[in-house]
Amino acid sequence: MRLRHGLYALGLACGLLGTGCQKQEPPTVPMDVPAVPPPANTVPREGPAAAAPPVHRVLDAVAAPANAAGATDSTWTTEPVETPRGEPPAVTLRAVRIGTHEGYDRTVFEFDGPRLPGYHVAYVKTPVQQCGSGDDVTPPGEAALEVRFTPARAHDDQGQATVAQRTLKPVLPSVLALERLCDFEGEVTWVLGTARRAPFRVLELKDPMRLVLDVRH
């Protein structure tokens, strides 16, 4: 009887208040939350990659094998970092982006396909040479950080470059310029002119496949 009277009193109160005592649904989160803007001085995507939103956060790092110097994909170093991969066919470079973050500058190389090519990242003596003409190239800054991809290409089946800009000059705290040296016989090489011989790290990311090169300020 007490339970029945209690339910009757609750129903009467809801009727007097005009609320009907309906169950309140939890608030929904809007799906169109604006994306986080890219870092300052970031070079945008080019070509087919421009249709996809840029990715600047390291969310899905893929563990890279240890290289000859003993470093992994999260190690800051000034020694060469190398991960060989020889499986054909060559992977196509689709975009190169540069941006600055707190404590380091980031260069992103984005590729088509389910995997990254092999790579070798190391500080080299200057001048460096263009692989086609043999012309000397002296990047700005006190050091030159070379990134070599194999097997890879930076052109499509019609021979058109997939990254239009051959030279980028963002003038960031560490990375002063970036220039493509080679796209020939399965090798793609870029060189970064850096303010000094600063520690760097290499990260492998997926969806899409990217090699990230960070250089400390």
Side-chain angles (χ1 to χ4, degrees):
M1 287 297 291
R2 290 182 179 178
L3 177 60
R4 182 179 301 174
H5 285 300
L7 294 174
Y8 174 78
L10 177 61
L12 181 59
C14 292
L16 291 174
L17 293 174
T19 62
C21 291
Q22 296 179 353
K23 181 180 179 181
Q24 298 296 315
E25 296 294 334
T28 58
V29 179
M31 298 301 293
D32 56 344
V33 177
V36 177
N41 301 324
T42 297
V43 177
R45 293 171 182 247
E46 301 179 32
V55 179
H56 301 279
R57 292 173 297 168
V58 180
L59 297 178
D60 50 354
V62 179
N67 55 69
T72 67
D73 68 334
S74 60
T75 300
W76 292 96
T77 183
T78 57
E79 298 301 315
V81 173
E82 182 173 17
T83 297
R85 294 186 178 103
E87 310 92 342
V91 185
T92 303
L93 178 67
R94 284 297 179 187
V96 178
R97 300 185 298 278
I98 307 174
T100 188
H101 295 253
E102 185 176 354
Y104 60 89
D105 294 341
R106 168 163 292 182
T107 304
V108 179
F109 300 91
E110 182 177 321
F111 291 86
D112 276 351
R115 61 174 178 81
L116 286 171
Y119 53 85
H120 179 89
V121 183
Y123 280 105
V124 294
K125 294 181 179 180
T126 57
V128 292
Q129 285 74 41
Q130 294 279 359
C131 70
S133 63
D135 292 341
D136 287 345
V137 175
T138 303
E142 296 183 1
L145 185 58
E146 187 179 79
V147 188
R148 185 171 67 248
F149 299 104
T150 53
R153 67 178 190 173
H155 60 273
D156 58 22
D157 293 337
Q158 289 71 45
Q160 298 298 315
T162 51
V163 178
Q165 291 179 276
R166 184 167 185 152
T167 302
L168 304 172
K169 296 181 178 181
V171 192
L172 302 179
S174 287
V175 179
L176 307 180
L178 178 65
E179 183 166 351
R180 189 178 77 234
L181 297 178
C182 189
D183 175 21
F184 185 67
E185 293 187 345
E187 178 181 318
V188 174
T189 304
W190 290 75
V191 64
L192 285 70
T194 60
R196 62 186 181 89
R197 190 184 174 93
F200 66 89
R201 67 178 177 182
V202 178
L203 301 168
E204 293 188 14
L205 306 182
K206 61 181 180 179
D207 300 326
M209 297 305 299
R210 288 153 287 155
L211 186 85
V212 172
L213 176 58
D214 294 336
V215 183
R216 275 184 176 170
H217 290 168

